Amino acid sequence: MKVLKFGGTSVGSAQNIKKVIDILQKESLSNPLVCVVSAVGGITDKLLEAGALAKQKDKKYKTVFDKIKTIHYKVIEELTPGSTTIKKEVDTKFEDLEQLLNGIFLINELSPKTSDKLVSFGELLSSFIIAKTMENMGLNTILKNSQELIVTNSNFTKAEVIYDVTNKNIIDYFNQATQQVTILPGFVSKSHLGEITTLGRGGSDFTAAIIAAALKVEQLEIWTDVSGMYTTNPKLVKQAYPINNLSYQEAMELSHFGAKVLYPPTVQPVLNLAIPIHIKNTLHPEANGTVISNQNNGSDLTVKGISHIDKVALFTLEGSGMVGIPGFSKRLFETLASEKINIIFITQASSEHSICFGIDEGNAETAEFAINNTFENEISLHKINPIIVEKGLSIIALIGDNMKSHQGISGKLFSTLGKNNINVRAIAQGASEKNISAVINNNDVSKALNSLHERFFEVNTKQLNVFITGIGNVGEKLIDQIHQQHNFLKKNLKLDVKIVGMANSRKMIFNPKGIDLNNWASQFHHADKSSIEGFYQKVIELNLRNSIFVDVTADKDVAAVYENYLKQSVAVVACNKIACSDKYANYKNLQDLSLKYNASFLYETNVGAGLPIINTLNNLVASGDKVISIQAVLSGSLNFVFNNFSDKKNFHDTVKQAQFEGYTEPDPRIDLSGIDVARKILILARENGIPMEIEDIVNDSFLTKSNLESTSVDNFYDTLIEEEPHFQKLYADAKANNCQLKYVAEYKNGKAKVGLQQIPEGHPFYNLEGKDNIVMFYTQRYPEQPLIVKGAGAGADVTASGLFADIIRIANK
């Protein structure tokens, strides 16, 4: 014999009920079946709603009652079209229900006893409809009322089973039963005094387990709308997957911590008898589901699941008067027990100075009042403090029998949470080491579950959530590169890089599941208005794991919010040089925040676009080498200009060409004034440990006074035409000396300068082509032959690739 239980979603519609009947019909060919059913999906809540409205003298309870009737009549009509027999018998039950609601309305009272009678209608109606439908189909089926079998005490709304009487009733009935399928309403029972009671929300599972244990069946099947118990909540973590096998203890831990597929007390009746529980999916009966038993089944998973409980209030009782004084814990727990408040989490400092525990947030006010009242004398004498209550919290828990034999599980848990800026308010771990629990903020639950699931169950793939501001030439190239390389990264580097936010100066778009990069530009047509603060607030609101903010602008206001991102443990990647070339105190602050909040701050593209210049310098310094001097051509823009300028092409047209081809900023004065190169050598000096300011750098400009005093970009180009003889003289002097003009940055002995130089033939800078950059590091290890980094130092493609490389570096950290 088998016992099968079908939940509310499984019997939530006529279509689903037909699937239930089909499953029962097939299963009954080989085994007699006991089928326990819940109320039609959502009906229990509607019954409670109607009762609450009636108690409040709100006549809207009649509207809710009518909705309950409509739902059931629709199910009946779709199951047995044109049949009036079932409907007539159901009408009688609805008359009783209506009378009960009218009574609640008249006396303005809804006691626990009346509440149990009220909610029992849900299961009684669904079981009746299903049983009669199967009888009409000619199936060997009988409806048996569970209230005639399961006997309890009078603890209404969550009655305790009297097992000796209940088991005898069940055995006696089924010893005489000859039907192939027995339909039973779940959840409902009667007290030893004959009063209607219920087994608590989720009690239909419990009913099924009680029947299975009494009959010692070969298997208990729980049929629901998911394919088993998942590694974590699949609504919050899309990568979650069904667990094939669980022990009873693991299942109880998972169900206690919020895995709603299984009601926690369900396991107890079948535990000692070692009756397996099989979680199955009514909508996909072919799926394997989850088997719960006392067999390990060869599983070597350390952590079996990650679960959580929402809406937890954390209470802390503390004070020096508690130390060494017996009885505080006893009084505390007795106070909660007298208020029928269940403790779901507890931890105590070894100093005995404090006790911390968690309860359902709905009981917080009652508990706070009761505890302060109990310890009123000690509080008045300042032996202990008034109880501290924190709300808006959740508990997450790692669960697994094998955790006790594996070291470092706690370390992985807390390091993963820490890296994602998830603050842990309290922790608890039992001596059995089957459960490690942590209390966190409600807002962090989704990020915590996704991060931990990735850490313990998705070791092959790490998801990065990227937010890009600045969708110009470089930004577009970066998006294209991420799109193009997505499959490669996932296959070869086990990285799933998703762009979840984009912004330009006017609009911004977000999609926490990842923006479709096939048509991302079109999505800006209906996007929200862009703002720097609004973009930041959205990143924080989404609260996604492994978040990276990428700045592809030259905006000082964007650079000013880097510290906000770092404080939220959001990594920052920037090609914007303003932050790192700002006041040294601000630069140092960003470095310190990066370390403090374990959030990477990378800006390789600040110097040399995609060239590994900063990384090379960092490696030299980290390995103990000492940089003596740096000589560099750091402006691809200026190198392009002076490589293309000659006595046959005027300077104005050369600069125009550089701007047209994307080698200069929109305002070319930034490049030609030398400030851009000064910022770059400043950044290299700072990376070498020198606290230098931009004012400390000598800038020997080759521009004329009228060039430097130009009032606009157009005016600047006009002055270039006017000053053409000046630029031709620069070219002629260099040519006469058989030299090339290069704009050079130098650092030595704590000092730096930038300026145009004549480079003789044979010098490493002489043949530097196009937009290329070159950096020569003279160090203690490279005193005569410098370490040279050379390559393209400007252009959208190479700058984007440098940003992309920084993103990958963060992923591999």
Side-chain angles (χ1 to χ4, degrees):
M1 179 176 283
K2 283 186 179 181
V3 176
L4 292 77
K5 178 263 176 179
F6 291 88
T9 52
S10 295
V11 296
S13 66
Q15 182 181 4
N16 285 358
I17 290 174
K18 289 176 181 177
K19 292 180 179 179
V20 169
I21 294 173
D22 185 55
I23 292 168
L24 293 173
Q25 190 172 9
K26 291 178 181 177
E27 292 269 0
S28 65
L29 295 176
S30 54
N31 291 291
L33 303 179
V34 178
C35 172
V36 177
V37 296
S38 297
V40 171
I43 291 299
T44 302
D45 288 335
K46 284 183 169 57
L47 287 166
L48 289 170
E49 180 186 359
L53 290 170
K55 178 185 175 183
Q56 297 164 12
K57 289 287 187 178
D58 189 335
K59 292 185 178 181
K60 290 179 182 176
Y61 80 90
K62 294 184 178 180
T63 302
V64 179
F65 171 68
D66 289 339
K67 287 181 182 178
I68 294 171
K69 289 175 65 176
T70 300
I71 291 170
H72 286 90
Y73 287 153
K74 182 181 178 183
V75 169
I76 293 168
E77 179 59 29
E78 291 179 2
L79 285 174
T80 56
S83 174
T84 59
T85 305
I86 298 178
K87 185 175 180 298
K88 283 181 180 179
E89 294 186 51
V90 167
D91 282 339
T92 303
K93 297 182 185 298
F94 278 129
E95 288 173 5
D96 294 339
L97 174 57
E98 187 174 22
Q99 287 180 10
L100 178 60
L101 288 169
N102 290 339
I104 295 169
F105 180 84
L106 289 172
I107 65 173
N108 193 30
E109 183 181 346
L110 180 59
S111 66
K113 181 177 179 180
T114 304
S115 178
D116 270 1
K117 187 173 182 180
L118 176 65
V119 295
S120 69
F121 278 91
E123 272 72 10
L124 294 174
L125 282 165
S126 65
S127 59
F128 177 81
I129 292 169
I130 293 170
K132 292 302 178 182
T133 300
M134 293 180 69
E135 286 180 19
N136 290 346
M137 294 172 62
L139 301 176
N140 185 10
T141 305
I142 287 180
L143 172 66
K144 178 63 176 176
N145 192 339
S146 302
Q147 294 169 325
E148 298 171 5
L149 301 176
I150 299 177
V151 179
T152 69
N153 63 10
S154 296
N155 186 16
F156 298 103
T157 74
K158 198 172 183 180
E160 296 173 14
V161 178
I162 301 174
Y163 281 101
D164 53 350
V165 179
T166 296
N167 289 343
K168 184 177 186 304
N169 289 344
I170 294 169
I171 292 169
D172 288 347
Y173 173 76
F174 282 100
N175 279 342
Q176 302 298 319
T178 58
Q179 67 271 13
Q180 200 65 12
V181 179
T182 304
I183 305 294
L184 293 170
F187 178 55
V188 297
S189 51
K190 278 189 178 180
S191 74
H192 60 291
L193 300 175
E195 307 154 313
I196 293 174
T197 56
T198 61
L199 302 177
R201 293 300 296 266
S204 292
D205 286 356
F206 197 13
T207 301
I210 293 167
I211 301 294
L215 298 177
K216 297 182 175 59
V217 299
E218 60 186 58
Q219 183 168 276
L220 167 61
E221 295 182 359
I222 306 292
W223 289 79
T224 181
D225 60 346
V226 292
S227 299
M229 297 186 77
Y230 278 64
T231 47
T232 193
N233 188 339
K235 294 180 180 178
L236 297 178
V237 182
K238 70 175 185 178
Q239 293 86 0
Y241 56 87
I243 308 167
N244 290 330
N245 302 99
L246 287 169
S247 70
Y248 293 114
Q249 290 77 15
E250 289 169 334
M252 282 193 291
E253 291 280 4
L254 282 170
S255 58
H256 173 71
F257 276 89
K260 296 178 181 178
V261 174
L262 189 67
Y263 183 57
T266 298
V267 180
Q268 197 59 49
V270 297
L271 176 62
N272 294 334
L273 297 175
I275 297 172
I277 303 172
H278 198 172
I279 311 294
K280 296 279 285 180
N281 190 340
T282 307
L283 307 182
H284 300 284
E286 71 285 352
N288 290 332
T290 300
V291 175
I292 301 168
S293 68
N294 58 8
Q295 301 296 318
N296 185 44
N297 294 299
S299 174
D300 58 356
L301 284 176
T302 306
V303 176
K304 283 290 191 72
I306 309 166
S307 201
H308 75 287
I309 303 175
D310 288 329
K311 298 180 180 178
V312 171
L314 191 65
F315 283 61
T316 303
L317 184 68
E318 62 181 4
S320 57
M322 294 171 58
V323 179
I325 306 299
F328 271 95
S329 298
K330 177 177 181 292
R331 291 169 62 196
L332 172 64
F333 299 141
E334 283 180 345
T335 299
L336 295 171
S338 67
E339 298 292 338
K340 296 184 179 179
I341 295 173
N342 185 42
I343 297 175
I344 53 180
F345 175 97
I346 185 168
T347 182
Q348 181 173 11
S350 58
S351 65
E352 301 181 37
H353 183 266
S354 66
I355 300 174
C356 181
F357 62 92
I359 64 172
D360 185 278
E361 200 172 76
N363 295 320
E365 291 184 8
T366 302
E368 182 179 12
F369 178 81
I371 294 168
N372 283 334
N373 185 57
T374 296
F375 295 98
E376 182 179 11
N377 183 53
E378 287 84 356
I379 292 172
S380 66
L381 296 174
H382 303 290
K383 290 183 177 181
I384 63 172
N385 302 325
I387 193 77
I388 299 170
V389 183
E390 299 173 73
K391 298 181 181 179
L393 302 173
S394 294
I395 300 175
I396 57 169
L398 295 187
I399 290 159
D401 286 343
N402 293 336
M403 283 165 43
K404 62 180 179 291
S405 58
H406 286 76
Q407 299 170 341
I409 301 297
S410 298
K412 292 178 182 178
L413 165 65
F414 297 119
S415 66
T416 301
L417 296 178
K419 287 177 181 177
N420 284 279
N421 195 36
I422 298 170
N423 186 39
V424 176
R425 293 292 303 111
I427 61 175
Q429 180 174 3
S432 67
E433 298 184 50
K434 294 180 180 181
N435 178 316
I436 306 173
S437 306
V439 180
I440 64 172
N441 192 288
N442 279 338
N443 297 331
D444 289 327
V445 167
S446 178
K447 181 162 69 170
L449 292 179
N450 277 278
S451 300
L452 293 172
H453 194 271
E454 183 177 81
R455 182 69 179 85
F456 288 101
F457 294 101
E458 304 166 48
V459 292
N460 290 327
T461 305
K462 182 177 185 179
Q463 181 174 315
L464 302 183
N465 295 294
V466 179
F467 299 84
I468 301 175
T469 185
I471 314 296
N473 289 337
V474 176
E476 288 186 2
K477 294 294 183 182
L478 176 60
I479 293 167
D480 290 343
Q481 290 176 13
I482 291 174
H483 187 203
Q484 175 186 326
Q485 291 299 107
H486 183 267
N487 292 336
F488 174 86
L489 293 174
K490 201 165 186 180
K491 179 180 179 181
N492 294 279
L493 299 184
K494 308 303 181 186
L495 295 177
D496 184 10
V497 182
K498 295 182 182 295
I499 300 178
V500 294
M502 298 182 190
N504 56 30
S505 59
R506 300 176 304 279
K507 300 283 188 177
M508 59 184 185
I509 58 174
F510 297 90
N511 186 338
K513 295 180 180 179
I515 295 169
D516 183 358
L517 299 185
N518 289 303
N519 61 349
W520 63 268
S522 65
Q523 298 176 49
F524 275 90
H525 295 318
H526 306 288
D528 295 330
K529 184 178 179 181
S530 182
S531 73
I532 295 170
E533 179 62 21
F535 194 84
Y536 165 74
Q537 291 296 339
K538 188 65 177 180
V539 173
I540 303 309
E541 177 189 327
L542 290 175
N543 202 20
L544 300 173
R545 71 193 188 281
N546 305 324
S547 291
I548 303 173
F549 172 69
V550 183
D551 179 11
V552 201
T553 74
D555 192 313
K556 66 178 182 179
D557 292 330
V558 176
V561 299
Y562 291 176
E563 65 175 312
N564 295 340
Y565 284 101
L566 294 172
K567 287 177 180 177
Q568 296 296 326
S569 294
V570 175
V572 175
V573 171
C575 66
N576 186 344
K577 291 179 279 290
I578 292 175
C580 289
S581 59
D582 196 7
K583 295 296 183 183
Y584 179 78
N586 294 337
Y587 164 85
K588 184 66 166 58
N589 179 50
L590 294 177
Q591 307 298 325
D592 293 342
L593 290 174
S594 175
L595 290 172
K596 181 177 180 180
Y597 292 98
N598 196 31
S600 296
F601 175 39
L602 300 181
Y603 38 89
E604 183 65 72
T605 51
N606 277 196
V607 182
L611 296 176
I613 295 172
I614 293 176
N615 190 44
T616 299
L617 175 56
N618 291 156
N619 290 338
L620 289 171
V621 173
S623 67
D625 201 356
K626 183 176 181 181
V627 177
I628 299 169
S629 68
I630 302 172
Q631 296 180 23
V633 174
L634 292 173
S635 174
S637 310
L638 286 170
N639 199 45
F640 178 89
V641 167
F642 286 109
N643 278 337
N644 286 275
F645 172 56
S646 70
D647 52 3
K648 297 180 178 59
K649 186 175 182 180
N650 68 42
F651 195 71
H652 169 278
D653 292 348
T654 306
V655 175
K656 274 285 188 181
Q657 180 187 354
Q659 184 182 24
F660 176 77
E661 295 189 21
Y663 297 135
T664 73
E665 299 289 344
D667 184 347
R669 290 175 294 181
I670 297 173
D671 299 283
L672 271 65
S673 67
I675 185 63
D676 186 61
V677 176
R679 286 171 176 164
K680 291 176 179 178
I681 195 66
L682 172 67
I683 292 169
L684 292 182
R686 288 175 171 179
E687 294 296 299
N688 193 39
I690 306 301
M692 185 178 286
E693 302 289 355
I694 191 70
E695 295 82 7
D696 299 328
I697 298 173
V698 177
N699 187 348
D700 185 12
S701 178
F702 66 89
L703 295 176
T704 68
K705 183 179 180 182
S706 63
N707 298 151
L708 293 170
E709 293 178 352
S710 59
T711 57
S712 67
V713 174
D714 289 340
N715 179 235
F716 175 67
Y717 275 115
D718 291 340
T719 66
L720 292 185
I721 294 173
E722 294 169 2
E723 299 289 352
E724 181 64 21
H726 166 73
F727 299 113
Q728 287 295 338
K729 184 176 186 308
L730 292 175
Y731 176 79
D733 289 347
K735 186 175 182 181
N737 294 326
N738 196 29
C739 292
Q740 294 279 356
L741 289 173
K742 302 293 179 186
Y743 200 87
V744 178
E746 294 181 291
Y747 163 82
K748 189 174 183 179
N749 298 327
K751 297 181 179 180
K753 65 179 181 178
V754 297
L756 191 65
Q757 294 185 16
Q758 294 184 9
I759 302 300
E761 190 173 2
H763 191 282
F765 295 173
Y766 183 83
N767 291 316
L768 196 65
E769 297 179 350
K771 59 184 181 297
D772 284 0
N773 281 188
I774 185 171
V775 180
M776 300 192 300
F777 293 107
Y778 288 90
T779 72
Q780 287 181 338
R781 295 173 188 160
Y782 300 91
E784 297 178 1
Q785 295 296 324
L787 175 60
I788 297 176
V789 180
K790 178 181 176 182
D797 275 324
V798 292
T799 304
S801 68
L803 292 168
F804 200 175
D806 275 349
I807 292 171
I808 302 305
R809 283 175 61 195
I810 290 172
N812 292 330
K813 181 180 176 181

